[in-house]
Amino acid sequence: MKNIVETLKTLKLKVTPARIAILEIFSISDKPLSVEIIAKRMKDKQINQVTIYRTIESLVSAGIVGRIDLRRDAIFYELIDEHHHHHIVCTKCGLLEDFETCQIEEVSKNIILKSKKFKMIQDHSFELFGICNSCSRKNV
Amino acid sequence: MKNIVETLKTLKLKVTPARIAILEIFSISDKPLSVEIIAKRMKDKQINQVTIYRTIESLVSAGIVGRIDLRRDAIFYELIDEHHHHHIVCTKCGLLEDFETCQIEEVSKNIILKSKKFKMIQDHSFELFGICNSCSRKNV
DNA sequence: TTTCAATTGCAAGTCGATTGCATTTGAGTT
DNA sequence: AACTCAAATGCAATCGACTTGCAATTGAAA
Ligand SMILES: [Mn+2]
Ligand SMILES: [Mn+2]
Ligand SMILES: [Zn+2]
Ligand SMILES: [Zn+2]
């Protein structure tokens, strides 16, 4: 994410303290974040939790933030990366790793060809779940 | 699903009215169901909603029911089919279509080879989201 | 039929997320 | 630089999917 203010202007979103703060937190992190985590990372800023929810919603609608179900206790969000990717999640401890090969182009092309009900796919979820090496060692 | 009672016995799960009723509803349906939908389909049975939650949990743990996030208002569940498959969901109306090509074998093999944190993948989510033909026609 | 862990129903609780409303503010207009 | 107003914000209340505690019931093994 180059310049946050410029990005917001390009998207025709008002440049507000909440949007700047949240986009800053996202751009520093290389991992998906929950609302709870974002709230904790607001140092001095002090932004209402409802505002965080609403701000994230606006960023998701604008198409620069993605929503991910990692099968944990809350929804996670991350900046939509130039490198399209997904995640492997440890179902014990939540450890994350990215992966980039999802072959969505071929798969969705194929599916659209066969489908009678859909002509267009906008989005997809694809996450892998397993036990990480560290957790595997723990319960032998 | 062949015989429900036999299935439960094989899984060493007690044969209870709730399990039978819920497995019956699942086996009749070709679509994922939410707890709310399942509750509505209980004709005369009258089973407490908490019991439905707990029963589904036991079936998920037993490995015969799968949990799916279709980005709707609740979690959906379906019998784990002999034909591994996923879904395309209309983000407007919720219309569903199945697809079977997900190439999980190749993809996960590749990922495990590269990964330093994971040696094993247990499960995956993969759902496609779009607008169905019917909804596309509606808002031109 | 005796036994007991598993299951169930009911009520209450949890908690992430949403909503209503009055106030403030970003940013375009004069 | 002041004016204007839709959008954004904070606070409190609320929603609603889901969970939990507990006493009563029941499936199934002995
Ligand atoms: Mn990521
Ligand atoms: Mn299905
Ligand atoms: Zn992908
Ligand atoms: Zn698959």
Side-chain angles (χ1 to χ4, degrees), chain A residues 9 15 24 26 34 92 106 114 116 121 138:
Chain A
K9 284 183 177 169
V15 179
E24 243 158 26
F26 272 129
S34 65
K92 295 277 183 192
E106 304 93 283
K114 287 182 197 162
K116 290 202 160 57
I121 287 166
K138 276 172 197 162

Side-chain angles (χ1 to χ4, degrees), chain A residues 9-53:
Chain A
K9 284 183 177 169
T10 307
L11 293 169
K12 292 194 163 43
L13 291 176
K14 276 193 188 176
V15 179
T16 66
R19 292 212 176 104
I20 293 173
I22 290 174
L23 282 179
E24 243 158 26
I25 290 171
F26 272 129
S27 65
I28 290 170
S29 172
D30 61 336
K31 293 193 182 67
L33 305 172
S34 65
V35 167
E36 189 191 0
I37 296 173
I38 292 171
K40 277 181 188 157
R41 299 210 182 158
M42 296 283 179
K43 303 257 161 61
D44 40 0
K45 299 283 176 183
Q46 190 68 357
I47 287 173
N48 190 284
Q49 198 172 10
V50 176
T51 302
I52 300 179
Y53 277 108

Side-chain angles (χ1 to χ4, degrees), chain A residues 77-95:
Chain A
Y77 303 88
E78 69 178 355
L79 283 186
I80 291 178
D81 203 336
E82 51 189 324
H83 299 299
H84 175 80
H85 70 279
H86 302 277
H87 311 88
I88 322 177
V89 189
C90 175
T91 52
K92 295 277 183 192
C93 72
L95 183 87

